[in-house]
Amino acid sequence: MRVLAWAVRTEARYVGMIGSKRKVLSVYKALENEGYKPEEFERVYAPMGLEIGALSPEEIAVSIAAELVRAAECGHCAHKKLKYETHASPVLQTGDR
């Protein structure tokens, strides 16, 4: 959570967070309670990694590497993220099921 808090306020081109959708949203909520704005999380890739059905640590590493390649090649095209809105139900974006 502390690293994400720092990272969203940098100029980093790729900010990713590993964790379940529920965990990601709970971290966003905790940071909002500390004064972060929901729009600060808009460029976070979370949960990070392409949806390839990865289960093992090796497969998860491949899915994350693939997402890094995609982000480097086409910027934010098909940017998979969880959208967090204050006092609203979470809205799942591209690639979420």
Side-chain angles (χ1 to χ4, degrees):
M1 188 169 86
R2 294 291 128 221
V3 173
L4 183 65
W6 168 80
V8 297
R9 292 188 171 166
T10 69
E11 296 293 321
R13 292 179 55 203
Y14 181 95
V15 176
M17 180 180 172
I18 294 175
S20 68
K21 293 170 186 170
R22 181 179 302 175
K23 179 66 174 179
V24 169
L25 293 173
S26 71
V27 168
Y28 289 175
K29 179 69 174 169
L31 289 175
E32 181 190 4
N33 289 338
E34 292 184 16
Y36 286 77
K37 295 180 176 33
E39 47 281 0
E40 291 183 271
F41 310 120
E42 287 180 0
R43 63 190 179 94
V44 176
Y45 288 77
M48 63 191 293
L50 295 183
E51 297 279 342
I52 62 170
L55 298 175
S56 71
E58 295 84 2
E59 292 169 337
I60 294 167
V62 168
S63 76
I64 293 169
E67 186 173 81
L68 288 168
V69 169
R70 175 187 276 175
E73 291 299 316
C74 63
H76 291 290
C77 68
H79 181 180
K80 174 191 60 97
K81 64 181 177 179
L82 289 177
K83 185 172 182 180
Y84 177 73
E85 296 178 3
T86 307
H87 308 296
S89 299
V91 176
L92 301 180
Q93 296 293 322
T94 304
D96 293 330
R97 298 174 193 212

